[in-house]
Amino acid sequence: MNGKLILLIEDNPDDEALTLRALKKNEIQSDIKVARDGQEALDYFFGDQGLINPMPTVVLLDLMLPKVNGLEILRRIRSDKRTRLQPVVILTSSKEEQDIIKGYELGANSYIRKPVDFIQFTEAVRQLGLYWLIINEAPPALARNS
Amino acid sequence: MAKSWLAELTIRAKLTVISILTSIIAIVLAGVIIVTYDNYLYHTQKVGELTAQAKILAAGLSAPLEFNDQQAANDYLTPLSANPDIASGAVYKTNGVLFASYSRSSVNPPPSLAAAHGIKAEGNKLSIFWPVLQNQQTVGSVYLQASIEPLMTRIFRYSGIFFLAMLASLLITLPIAMRLHYAIANPVYARSLIEASIDPLVTINPKGEITDVNLATVKATGLEREALIGTDFSSYFTDPAKAGEIYLQVFNEGLITDFPLTIRHVDGKLIDVLYNAAVYKSERGNVLGVVAVARDVTAQKQAELEINRRTAELQAANKELEAFSYSVSHDLRAPLRAIDGFSAALLEDYSEGLDDTGKNHLNRVRSATQRMGDLIDDMLELSRIARVEMHHQTINLSEMVTSVLQELQKNDEQRKIDWYVQPDLLAEADARLMRIVFNNLLGNAWKYTSKQPNPFIEFGAIKGEDGITTYFVRDNGAGFDMTYAGKLFGAFQRLHTVAEFPGTGVGLATVQRIIHRHGGMVSGEGIPDQGATFYFTLTMPTTGVIL
């Protein structure tokens, strides 16, 4: 692998499968780690293994999550010195204005609404991967992983 | 000086002074007139009496004169002593020589020679010379002198009488006047003022005791007027200490406004009131007490509570709706995405194992899920429009319409549509919501003219007689049958099949909701295959928000 890592925070196994399928079909070269609820996501960064776990190149964050919701995870990531520059892309079903505003207020790097149409969904994931893994220059603190 | 002296007097004292002065002036004037008239009468009467006496005397004395009988003449004169007013009397011969005389005292003897006939007044004396006639011939003269009462004596006597009369009249009228003044200066009209008030009104003395109440107070407390007067004002409130603050504040500041208290009715019913009170003073500036008026705000408070309750309910309902929408947007879409995604995966990964019918079925599954996704989105949009906060501003509808049409053109470049937009139509409205209205109305016009060889879209306005502007969007497209006009604005109601024209049927429902929120009306007119016109108004609601 090329040291790139995507952390997918997603509780819905269907969405997880579809996202992984879309990534694979688009031949995005990256390790993928999946956190299936809010607590698991927080543990990845701040748990026992937090210091050992590699920083993801990008986090794909769902908002409706069991235990700890997506916005809270984002707030925690942004308030910790070690993770505050972590690129986070909100990838959710909601296009509620309040979610979009809240997301950006808390420092999301991007907000993407999952389309129902799988073709469109695949296209969104393709562009997302291309942008964050290849075009985008990662913050310096994260560069050590690559 | 006199003015300021008068000004310092109380109203009641002023009234008393005025009535005393009036009666004095009246009595003095009457006195002067009576004295003058009496003086005239007295003189006339005295003159008449003296003349009559002289005539009688003259008639009796003609014989003694003729016979030169002095003794007989004296006999006629002597009885004059019976009249105390007669000072002296005499009889003269034709040559004027004294023939006989009578005199009450030696101080006033009759004159020794006769003077011209006639009456003369001299000081306190009235004297008369009168001819004694015998067969029309003057045979001599009689003389009489009477003392008359001096004018001053009479004036003094009258003054005494008038003074006594005045005293008597004052003794009688002053108490009456005082009573009347009291009635005028005090309670008669003041009481009617108190009673005229529909608000509970009380007067309180500086000790905090009620001195007067009106019927409204009786109703508010359930106690009779007699039972209330003399009792402690603060005892009729749920919070007597707070009620006591009324006087403190009023006595310090002279006035109190909208002081909230609660009156306790004898049957336990509570009445929320706002007290307005002011001190009232004597004309000399001494504080006599407080006038306090209560405004019953129970109904107002209840209405306020009711409004708060309903607002809370509405907010709760809105919150619920928001939560519902939120959950719909997340939870309903996720399974749809899975259905579509895995159908697509099947088509991609297992296309060899599927015949055309199988593929067709899967494609139908996919398009159905996509349509359901669109329906969910439109439904959410419709409910969002009902909840979104409105911001009114002046907007140029013509520019907005042009911009929407240009956007439609950009997304559908192969179509060639003529349009006319009436310039500079301004309106007070919410710009974001109006944009949605035009997206829907013009989007419909765009869509339903797709089978028309010479499509035309128009936006304009008509000013009604009532001053209300009606805007319209007109097209020459597919139109509709007016039989179904009632269904136009219902959510998910469609007058065309999806195969003819795509759509979810939420557009016009959205338009109607937005127009209603602006206090306006919307209606549609159509003829099949000739076109449709949609009219709307944007009357601003004067109060509240119409949902």
Side-chain angles (χ1 to χ4, degrees):
Chain A
M1 288 292 165
N2 57 4
K4 305 271 183 186
L5 171 69
I6 293 173
L7 175 64
L8 176 65
I9 306 174
E10 175 62 76
D11 65 312
N12 185 323
D14 289 340
D15 274 354
E16 180 194 327
L18 290 171
T19 308
L20 294 179
R21 182 182 167 89
L23 286 168
K24 197 176 110 191
K25 278 192 78 78
N26 287 309
E27 292 167 353
I28 288 163
Q29 302 298 314
S30 170
D31 284 337
I32 299 164
K33 176 100 187 112
V34 181
R36 290 180 181 86
D37 67 44
Q39 192 52 52
E40 217 178 301
L42 286 179
D43 286 347
Y44 182 86
F45 289 105
F46 311 112
D48 296 341
Q49 306 290 306
L51 287 170
I52 307 159
N53 283 337
M55 287 296 110
T57 314
V58 66
V59 172
L60 302 182
L61 177 67
D62 190 16
L63 290 183
M64 290 270 275
L65 291 167
K67 297 181 187 170
V68 183
N69 78 37
L71 291 173
E72 175 61 18
I73 293 167
L74 179 56
R75 198 188 61 74
R76 294 281 296 275
I77 288 174
R78 286 289 174 262
S79 55
D80 190 284
K81 203 177 163 195
R82 197 165 51 89
T83 55
R84 70 191 167 90
L85 297 176
Q86 172 64 53
V88 176
V89 172
I90 293 174
L91 185 63
T92 180
S93 291
S94 165
K95 64 163 187 179
E96 287 284 312
E97 205 176 81
Q98 61 199 40
D99 280 344
I100 300 173
I101 292 169
K102 234 358 207 288
Y104 280 115
E105 267 176 6
L106 289 171
N109 297 75
S110 187
Y111 190 109
I112 292 161
R113 191 193 187 211
K114 297 176 199 166
V116 167
D117 185 332
F118 186 69
I119 307 286
Q120 289 172 28
F121 183 73
T122 307
E123 176 58 16
V125 171
R126 187 188 71 79
Q127 290 188 20
L128 188 76
L130 179 71
Y131 180 82
W132 286 103
L133 297 183
I134 295 162
I135 300 171
N136 189 53
E137 203 66 54
L142 301 163
R144 65 185 166 88
N145 294 319
S146 48
Chain B
M1 286 303 278
K3 199 177 174 187
S4 68
W5 162 80
L6 202 65
E8 272 179 21
L9 288 178
T10 65
I11 289 174
R12 204 187 297 177
K14 279 176 196 162
L15 285 169
T16 310
V17 166
I18 287 166
S19 56
I20 289 173
L21 279 175
T22 313
S23 60
I24 288 175
I25 290 168
I27 286 180
V28 166
L29 256 175
V32 168
I33 291 166
I34 287 173
V35 166
T36 311
Y37 180 61
D38 178 75
N39 200 40
Y40 163 76
L41 265 185
Y42 182 78
H43 258 270
T44 321
Q45 192 192 344
K46 282 291 168 196
V47 167
E49 274 173 24
L50 207 60
T51 313
Q53 189 110 41
K55 279 179 179 170
I56 294 164
L57 208 54
L61 281 166
S62 64
L65 271 173
E66 197 184 341
F67 300 108
N68 204 20
D69 186 346
Q70 243 177 334
Q71 184 55 46
N74 275 332
D75 286 348
Y76 271 103
L77 289 172
T78 313
L80 288 173
S81 63
N83 186 338
D85 283 350
I86 305 293
S88 59
V91 56
Y92 301 87
K93 294 191 169 218
T94 35
N95 57 2
V97 175
L98 185 67
F99 177 65
S101 72
Y102 157 80
S103 183
R104 185 171 294 273
S105 68
S106 55
V107 186
N108 258 319
S112 47
L113 280 172
H117 295 148
I119 291 177
K120 202 160 72 177
E122 261 179 309
N124 294 334
K125 304 283 182 236
L126 196 65
S127 54
I128 183 167
F129 279 100
W130 200 258
V132 179
L133 298 172
Q134 176 78 44
N135 303 326
Q136 324 289 306
Q137 293 264 303
T138 305
V139 292
S141 304
V142 290
Y143 165 80
L144 279 175
Q145 188 190 51
S147 61
I148 52 173
E149 206 176 4
L151 183 63
M152 284 316 287
T153 313
R154 287 205 310 280
I155 287 175
F156 275 130
R157 194 173 65 233
Y158 276 120
S159 298
I161 292 168
F162 287 141
F163 179 73
L164 284 172
M166 203 150 74
L167 214 62
S169 85
L170 281 180
L171 277 174
I172 295 163
T173 59
L174 214 57
I176 296 172
M178 299 272 267
R179 279 202 79 93
L180 282 173
H181 297 164
Y182 179 79
I184 291 166
N186 264 350
V188 174
Y189 90 103
R191 273 221 52 76
S192 61
L193 271 185
I194 288 175
E195 286 303 346
S197 168
I198 55 162
D199 293 325
L201 195 154
V202 297
T203 57
I204 312 156
N205 67 18
K207 285 187 278 178
E209 293 165 354
I210 293 171
T211 50
D212 200 359
V213 299
N214 65 353
L215 193 64
T217 310
V218 171
K219 279 186 189 161
T221 56
L223 290 165
E224 286 308 309
R225 186 163 175 254
E226 292 71 24
L228 287 162
I229 289 174
T231 58
D232 187 0
F233 169 71
S234 58
S235 62
Y236 299 100
F237 298 93
T238 52
D239 189 349
K242 200 175 158 203
E245 276 177 38
I246 279 199
Y247 344 119
L248 271 181
Q249 214 167 321
V250 172
F251 283 120
N252 286 337
E253 292 163 31
L255 194 74
I256 194 170
T257 49
D258 292 343
F259 190 95
L261 281 174
T262 306
I263 297 176
R264 193 197 298 279
H265 190 278
V266 278
D267 67 13
K269 190 179 68 179
L270 300 181
I271 304 161
D272 291 314
V273 291
L274 288 180
Y275 256 100
N276 286 281
V279 291
Y280 68 97
K281 299 172 177 180
S282 71
E283 283 80 1
R284 295 203 185 280
N286 303 320
V287 172
L288 296 178
V290 171
V291 184
V293 193
R295 165 63 38 100
D296 184 346
V297 290
T298 315
Q300 214 172 310
K301 267 203 164 173
Q302 272 169 358
E304 229 167 80
L305 284 175
E306 181 64 18
I307 287 170
N308 288 345
R309 194 181 62 76
R310 285 190 195 177
T311 309
E313 268 180 19
L314 205 62
Q315 276 169 347
N318 255 346
K319 269 260 152 59
E320 240 167 66
L321 198 63
E322 246 166 62
F324 174 74
S325 307
Y326 193 83
S327 137
V328 163
S329 91
H330 279 85
D331 301 345
L332 285 188
R333 285 171 57 88
L336 283 180
R337 205 162 40 243
I339 295 167
D340 188 67
F342 290 109
S343 302
L346 268 179
L347 282 168
E348 283 171 12
D349 299 353
Y350 300 93
S351 66
E352 288 88 14
L354 287 167
D355 61 3
D356 284 350
T357 314
K359 285 176 194 165
N360 181 273
H361 287 173
L362 276 177
N363 279 323
R364 278 171 186 260
V365 170
R366 288 200 59 209
S367 65
T369 54
Q370 280 155 34
R371 180 161 167 77
M372 188 163 171
D374 290 344
L375 283 168
I376 290 169
D377 283 353
D378 284 352
M379 202 171 78
L380 289 174
E381 179 74 357
L382 188 62
S383 86
R384 193 183 66 82
I385 277 160
R387 289 176 284 129
V388 74
E389 207 178 303
M390 301 219 307
H391 303 282
H392 286 286
Q393 63 189 92
T394 305
I395 47 180
N396 188 325
L397 297 179
S398 307
E399 280 177 8
M400 192 177 268
V401 165
T402 308
S403 142
V404 170
L405 285 168
Q406 283 166 346
E407 210 172 282
L408 286 164
Q409 181 69 83
K410 217 172 80 190
N411 293 334
D412 194 3
E413 279 174 334
Q414 62 267 50
R415 285 193 62 197
K416 178 80 193 73
I417 294 185
D418 281 333
W419 71 67
Y420 171 73
V421 175
Q422 189 177 326
D424 294 327
L425 292 174
L426 305 179
E428 284 286 315
D430 182 287
R432 278 180 66 189
L433 292 179
M434 285 314 292
R435 182 104 194 171
I436 295 170
V437 166
F438 288 124
N439 278 340
N440 279 297
L441 290 180
L442 296 165
N444 279 351
W446 198 273
K447 182 164 69 184
Y448 291 111
T449 50
S450 59
K451 288 167 185 160
Q452 160 67 242
N454 300 304
F456 180 71
I457 297 172
E458 183 187 357
F459 173 69
I462 312 153
K463 188 105 177 172
E465 280 172 22
D466 47 8
I468 293 171
T469 305
T470 303
Y471 305 92
F472 64 86
V473 171
R474 179 173 294 146
D475 67 66
N476 61 348
F480 58 88
D481 186 340
M482 284 299 279
T483 318
Y484 310 113
K487 285 186 156 188
L488 271 179
F489 299 100
F492 306 109
Q493 298 281 358
R494 300 207 71 225
L495 301 187
H496 302 273
T497 63
V498 181
E500 276 180 300
F501 296 100
T504 56
V506 176
L508 286 178
T510 306
V511 167
Q512 185 180 44
R513 192 161 287 186
I514 293 172
I515 296 301
H516 283 182
R517 284 202 67 184
H518 282 82
M521 299 289 290
V522 62
S523 61
E525 247 174 40
I527 302 168
D529 298 325
Q530 288 190 35
T533 309
F534 287 89
Y535 301 93
F536 66 89
T537 58
L538 289 171
T539 322
M540 290 285 294
T542 46
T543 51
V545 177
I546 297 163
L547 290 174

